Amino acid sequence: MIKAGVKFRMWVADWHAMANNKMSGDLEKIKIVGKYFIEVWRASGMDLSKVEFMWASDMAKNSDYWKLVVQVGKSNALKRFIRTAEMMGREESLDKLTGAHIIYSCMQVADIFMLGAKITQLGMDQRKVNMLAREVGPILGFWKPVVVSHHMLMGLSKSANPVLTSEVRQGLAESAIQRTIERKMSKSNPDSAIFMTDTTEDIKRKINKAYSLEGDIKENPILEYFKYIIFESFEKLRISELRIERPEKFGGNISFKTYAELEKTFSEKKVHPMDLKAVLIKYLDQLIEPVRRHFEENAEAKKLLEQVRSFQVTR
């Protein structure tokens, strides 16, 4: 999007994290995590000259912001805001929802217009609040933002819930989306995801124990990492194809130029999960190495990482 000429404003939503009880609602800890995220983006090669970082805690000092939050809250009945609760990563019952969750919804809609965002780029789990913003915008004299909802990577662990195959086959897209949200990575379960500062040994352990059923292309986190990370990073990895090296008795070396080729071959059980895991470990480690090195060599970044690791993560 930056290459296309979009002016990007990165919203560090510390107050929202507090409302959602991240870091047990400790705003100071949340701010440290926010600074850590900025360091990760910097180390990942993001062109920060074209990105403006803005903090919710700064916006919270503006009375016009809270005026808009109230106006958003007045625009719909309570049940409309309750329907957006899954944007915080969960489907909550009325007994578990707090007033902060409702304020969160109003804040996030207000954010879009206070930031002047014509495009919102968020995860699929936040699609409902973005659609609410499209409804509310014209009512309050604003615009309908373009909603870009990106895919959420599966967690590496096997899901405890049954696959919604029958519903998906019937074309119930909402069920498929909800299933994706349920299976997403979780910061509170470190082995369910690869973190940007993981060591080589961390990556090996997590990928080797990750769920990957031979021939399964529907709910396979290993395949997802190839589809959304490795095949999108050929230029950065300086490769033109995915090459898997293996002994002749196991089929010999094999190469793929597209993810579609890999998926088809895997579905035919011509490539074993362990073949994929070995090469995935190699390439993930290469991609993460610059970030890891930044947090080792930059004193400020190193301190932030140490602080974040000392915090107990809450869902």
Side-chain angles (χ1 to χ4, degrees), residues 35-36 39 42 291-307:
K35 293 176 182 177
Y36 161 78
E39 288 299 321
R42 176 180 287 112
V291 180
R292 195 164 50 214
R293 188 169 61 250
H294 174 74
F295 279 89
E296 291 172 353
E297 298 176 354
N298 183 288
E300 183 177 350
K302 185 176 183 178
K303 181 180 178 181
L304 285 170
L305 177 58
E306 291 172 351
Q307 289 177 298

Side-chain angles (χ1 to χ4, degrees), residues 152-156 180-189 192-195 225:
M152 305 178 74
L153 284 175
M154 290 182 191
L156 294 172
T180 299
I181 294 170
E182 290 173 356
R183 287 226 56 195
K184 71 175 183 177
M185 301 179 295
S186 171
K187 293 182 290 296
S188 57
N189 178 9
S192 74
I194 300 297
F195 296 123
Y225 271 59

Side-chain angles (χ1 to χ4, degrees), residues 73-204:
K74 291 171 60 181
S75 69
N76 276 272
L78 180 60
K79 65 180 181 180
R80 181 68 179 85
F81 293 100
I82 291 174
R83 281 166 50 196
T84 69
E86 74 174 21
M87 70 188 172
M88 289 166 277
R90 67 196 76 172
E91 285 280 8
E92 296 282 19
S93 69
L94 285 176
D95 291 337
K96 293 182 179 179
L97 277 175
T98 67
H101 290 139
I102 304 304
I103 295 172
Y104 184 115
S105 301
C106 299
M107 288 170 64
Q108 194 160 18
V109 172
D111 294 341
I112 294 169
F113 305 116
M114 290 297 291
L115 289 170
K118 303 302 189 295
I119 303 171
T120 65
Q121 183 182 359
L122 297 164
M124 284 299 296
D125 60 336
Q126 302 188 55
R127 70 199 184 284
K128 290 185 178 180
V129 77
N130 283 332
M131 296 311 295
L132 176 61
R134 284 178 57 82
E135 296 173 17
V136 170
I139 295 173
L140 298 181
F142 297 106
W143 55 91
K144 281 191 174 186
V146 173
V147 177
V148 177
S149 299
H150 61 75
H151 178 76
M152 305 178 74
L153 284 175
M154 290 182 191
L156 294 172
S157 305
K158 182 179 180 180
S159 174
N161 298 321
V163 181
L164 301 174
T165 51
S166 61
E167 292 175 307
V168 173
R169 280 199 301 269
Q170 292 171 24
L172 297 181
E174 187 64 24
S175 294
I177 292 171
Q178 184 57 36
R179 176 65 176 175
T180 299
I181 294 170
E182 290 173 356
R183 287 226 56 195
K184 71 175 183 177
M185 301 179 295
S186 171
K187 293 182 290 296
S188 57
N189 178 9
D191 277 359
S192 74
I194 300 297
F195 296 123
M196 295 300 289
T197 49
D198 274 351
T199 65
T200 301
E201 290 307 311
D202 287 333
I203 296 170
K204 287 180 180 178

